[in-house]
Amino acid sequence: MAALAASFYKDRAKIRHGFCSFFMLSPYNFLHSTFLLSPIANLRIKNLPLRCNQVGEFETQVKSFKTMADIHGIDQELLNKIVYDALVWSSLHGLVVGDKSVKRSGTIPGVGLVHSPIALLPGSFPETHWKQACELVSIFNELVDRVSLDGKFLQESLSRTKKADDFTSRLLDIHSKMLQMDKKEEIRLGLHRSDYMLDEKTKLLLQVELNTISSSFAGLSQIVSKLHSDLLDQYGEVLGLDSRMIPENNSGNQSAEVLAKAWTEYNNPSAVIMIVVQAEERNMYDQHWLSVHLRKRHNVKTIRKTMAEIDREGELQSDGTLLVDGQAVAVVYFRAGYTPIDYPSETEWAARLLVEQSSAVKCPSISYHLAGTKKIQQELAKPNVLERFLDNKEDIAKIRRCFAGLWSLDDKDIVRKAIEAPDLFVMKPQREGGGNNIYGDDVRKTLVRLQKEGNVEDAAYILMQRIFPSVYPTIFVRDGICHKDHAISELGIFGAYLRNKDKVIVNDQCGYLMRTKVSSSNEGGVAAGFAVLDSIYLT
């Protein structure tokens, strides 16, 4: 999973005093005055089992509600009512995750449930940039597919990284074996997510990263968008908001539909879709939403297996059919396998190789997985590299427009600049899932250490331009407690690609994910505990 990249500019006081971002020029205008005039503000809400922490005083008082939102100015009793209704709605509609404080919550469904961490109301987002992100989906889908077919490019681009990073090395070993076997993936399936931030200074939509494995929260993102729509249907008039400005989001249903189409292309009605999961998965309900859709809409059976179980129960038939626990597998959908933690022993690596050798449709295949690594993202940003994979000049220009600065650590000039001004850069290892990136003075310290040691470890990282998105007031709700704070957001657009030989069956957007976090936090994964689920309100 992706990590959020930014927090404040160096001149934080200026941002907090200005509040002139696109998030502030939002639909929440006149909130405070609306609450004062509304009869709903006079409701007496009693015995509500929640509390709302107050944010500290703004450094400057807001002078006019005509130029900014004052979500923090919502009448307290009205706020309590909205939070209460949001918690009830979340419980009734499955907007839930496993509670970390309950030991069995990651293994036994229905044990230790808690509502997913959420933003109480949707965050503003410019419609022009929303459309731009949606238009990029099909181009990135095609790009990933073409990059994945160029085995030489993947192996050569990651050759130095292989020497420095054991995890990437093991993935490349499997990929190399597939190349030696001349393994053909006739049915190619990708469920990707491209993550973006809107840079405050340049007003450019910049890509944070492209995820090609375990692009999570398709199930819950769909539900949180419906939560926000329902809240605005109920409270929109008093808040001055229109639920129709929240884009329709069917990310879970659409992802399941593409999995079903891949299952159909495999052409074995008795085969199953296997979801590869971690041994303890508190985000299991996001995955179960897809399984329920597959069963109810397409009568497709799903099974859930860890890598260790696949090794223990799996076997490969002479025709390439993958059997797991005696059941033929049509599609393998990875929600694990993206981090070294998922491979604690040789057992798990044997399972990954077994799957890759089979005729089952992989989501993703090993080549798709490698195409989504940070190093490949950096390589694609180099001059003339996109032209190796794409023919349409307009498409190339659209992609380049959203690229942030990306550099290898063998670029000595950039390394020098990063040491001098570390706050302008992020160091990224070849990892997914949040909590892995290096920020601030740690960038300088790490670069200086790598220079002194002079070994190949620097190949395990890339440098990326740090994106500074707009900071805006929001209300977080976690563990039944609401908290007013200032936030930044990251928009992820889900994309689906399905091809059988030369026939492209699906190449489209399939919903979105909005993640919002406290502006002072560097990392941003929801599952990692840094961010909350959100939706967008078009402005």
Side-chain angles (χ1 to χ4, degrees):
M1 290 180 37
L4 288 172
S7 55
F8 286 105
Y9 286 110
K10 278 186 173 181
D11 189 0
R12 299 184 181 188
K14 182 178 180 181
I15 293 178
R16 290 182 61 111
H17 281 74
F19 285 104
C20 56
S21 68
F22 73 92
F23 285 102
M24 304 323 238
L25 303 176
S26 75
Y28 299 114
N29 293 345
F30 297 101
L31 271 179
H32 190 266
S33 56
T34 305
F35 299 141
L36 293 176
L37 295 172
S38 170
I40 296 182
N42 296 318
L43 289 174
R44 297 298 178 195
I45 312 299
K46 298 181 179 180
N47 302 320
L48 299 185
L50 58 91
R51 57 190 175 88
C52 191
N53 297 333
Q54 298 296 320
V55 73
E57 291 295 324
F58 288 121
E59 295 178 16
T60 58
Q61 294 298 317
V62 178
K63 301 300 183 184
S64 172
F65 299 118
K66 295 181 180 180
T67 58
M68 63 164 290
D70 184 24
I71 188 173
H72 290 168
I74 297 178
D75 175 87
Q76 188 63 45
E77 291 186 348
L78 175 60
L79 176 61
N80 288 346
K81 174 61 176 171
I82 298 173
V83 173
Y84 183 84
D85 287 348
L87 294 175
V88 170
W89 194 101
S90 297
S91 302
L92 294 177
H93 292 83
L95 186 53
V96 294
V97 294
D99 186 346
K100 291 182 179 179
S101 67
V102 180
K103 187 175 181 180
R104 297 189 299 156
S105 65
T107 55
I108 308 298
V111 174
L113 300 185
V114 65
H115 73 89
S116 174
I118 56 172
L120 182 61
L121 295 170
S124 303
F125 200 84
E127 187 172 9
T128 53
H129 290 94
W130 160 253
K131 290 180 178 179
Q132 178 189 355
C134 292
E135 289 172 356
L136 288 167
V137 173
S138 61
I139 309 174
F140 273 115
N141 288 342
E142 184 178 348
L143 177 62
V144 169
D145 188 61
R146 294 192 179 186
V147 169
S148 73
L149 291 169
D150 195 332
K152 182 179 179 181
F153 174 77
L154 290 173
Q155 287 285 332
E156 290 181 351
S157 297
L158 291 163
S159 59
R160 287 194 71 243
T161 305
K162 180 176 182 177
K163 297 176 183 178
D165 185 85
D166 290 338
F167 179 61
T168 303
S169 178
R170 295 299 297 267
L171 295 175
L172 281 168
D173 286 344
I174 294 176
H175 180 252
S176 181
K177 289 176 181 177
M178 296 306 103
L179 293 177
Q180 292 170 13
M181 291 171 54
D182 196 26
K183 181 74 168 59
K184 303 296 183 185
E185 298 292 337
E186 293 186 344
I187 305 174
R188 308 173 65 79
L189 171 63
L191 289 176
H192 312 313
R193 195 187 69 233
S194 186
D195 296 334
Y196 303 93
M197 281 182 162
L198 185 56
D199 186 62
E200 165 66 17
K201 186 175 182 179
T202 63
K203 298 298 187 287
L204 294 175
L205 187 74
L206 299 178
Q207 186 183 58
V208 177
E209 63 183 350
L210 178 62
N211 304 275
T212 59
I213 182 169
S214 189
S215 300
S216 59
F217 287 111
L220 295 189
S221 290
Q222 174 175 311
I223 305 173
V224 78
S225 293
K226 291 179 179 178
L227 163 66
H228 285 160
S229 292
D230 273 23
L231 288 176
L232 294 195
D233 284 341
Q234 186 175 359
Y235 296 104
E237 185 173 353
V238 67
L239 297 177
L241 303 174
D242 186 346
S243 63
R244 292 173 297 181
M245 300 309 293
I246 299 176
E248 185 176 3
N249 188 9
N250 291 310
S251 51
N253 292 347
Q254 287 179 278
S255 296
E257 286 293 320
V258 177
L259 287 168
K261 288 181 179 180
W263 176 86
T264 299
E265 292 298 316
Y266 189 80
N267 197 27
N268 181 351
S270 64
V272 302
I273 292 179
M274 180 172 68
I275 305 176
V276 184
V277 299
Q278 295 174 329
E280 293 188 4
E281 179 56 88
R282 291 182 174 84
N283 193 31
M284 68 173 77
Y285 307 100
D286 178 59
Q287 302 162 6
H288 280 301
W289 275 110
L290 276 65
S291 295
V292 169
H293 185 96
L294 286 164
R295 177 178 55 81
K296 294 180 69 174
R297 291 289 299 272
H298 301 282
N299 198 31
V300 175
K301 181 181 178 182
T302 60
I303 60 174
R304 296 170 61 82
K305 298 291 179 180
T306 64
M307 303 281 272
E309 288 171 331
I310 293 170
D311 179 67
R312 185 169 61 249
E313 303 170 8
E315 61 177 293
L316 201 60
Q317 295 190 312
S318 58
D319 64 352
T321 300
L322 175 63
L323 297 181
V324 177
D325 195 19
Q327 301 175 93
V329 177
V331 179
V332 181
Y333 173 42
F334 282 96
R335 291 297 294 266
Y338 57 86
T339 170
I341 298 173
D342 293 336
Y343 301 86
S345 70
E346 289 301 312
T347 292
E348 288 75 20
W349 285 112
R352 184 68 186 267
L353 178 61
L354 181 72
V355 168
E356 209 61 37
Q357 290 172 326
S358 76
S359 62
V361 182
K362 296 95 182 170
C363 183
S365 64
I366 191 70
S367 58
Y368 267 42
H369 185 169
L370 292 171
T373 56
K374 306 293 190 299
K375 180 60 181 176
I376 296 300
Q377 181 185 7
Q378 179 255 310
E379 287 291 318
L380 292 172
K382 288 182 177 180
N384 304 316
V385 175
L386 285 176
E387 284 79 358
R388 177 170 178 166
F389 303 103
L390 299 175
D391 303 317
N392 188 298
K393 292 183 179 180
E394 290 185 6
D395 289 348
I396 292 171
K398 288 178 181 178
I399 287 184
R400 282 223 172 92
R401 198 172 299 128
C402 77
F403 277 168
L406 292 158
W407 304 274
S408 166
L409 265 64
D410 57 11
D411 187 330
K412 303 305 179 185
D413 185 52
I414 285 295
V415 170
R416 178 183 55 79
K417 291 178 180 178
I419 291 174
E420 293 173 353
D423 287 340
L424 300 180
F425 296 86
V426 180
M427 278 187 73
K428 291 188 171 186
Q430 310 302 310
R431 296 290 182 270
E432 303 296 334
N436 299 301
N437 296 335
I438 300 173
Y439 297 89
D441 196 51
D442 288 337
V443 172
R444 181 189 62 79
K445 292 177 181 177
T446 305
L447 291 174
V448 170
R449 177 181 64 80
L450 291 174
Q451 282 187 336
K452 288 181 179 179
E453 294 174 354
N455 54 33
V456 296
E457 187 188 345
D458 63 347
Y461 299 91
I462 66 166
L463 275 170
M464 181 176 175
Q465 165 195 350
R466 187 164 182 172
I467 305 170
F468 295 97
S470 303
V471 180
Y472 64 102
T474 194
I475 299 174
F476 298 98
V477 185
R478 188 188 293 273
D479 295 326
I481 300 171
C482 75
H483 173 70
K484 299 176 181 179
D485 215 314
H486 293 87
I488 57 175
S489 291
E490 181 177 308
L491 173 65
I493 304 292
F494 291 106
Y497 187 89
L498 176 62
R499 177 161 68 83
N500 192 341
K501 297 180 181 177
D502 293 330
K503 181 183 178 182
V504 177
I505 299 163
V506 177
N507 182 10
D508 206 355
Q509 176 209 357
C510 56
Y512 73 93
L513 163 69
M514 187 76 156
R515 286 170 296 173
T516 296
K517 65 160 190 170
V518 176
S519 57
S520 57
S521 171
N522 286 323
E523 294 291 352
V526 176
F530 300 105
V532 301
L533 295 176
D534 204 345
S535 62
I536 66 176
Y537 191 102
L538 296 179
T539 58

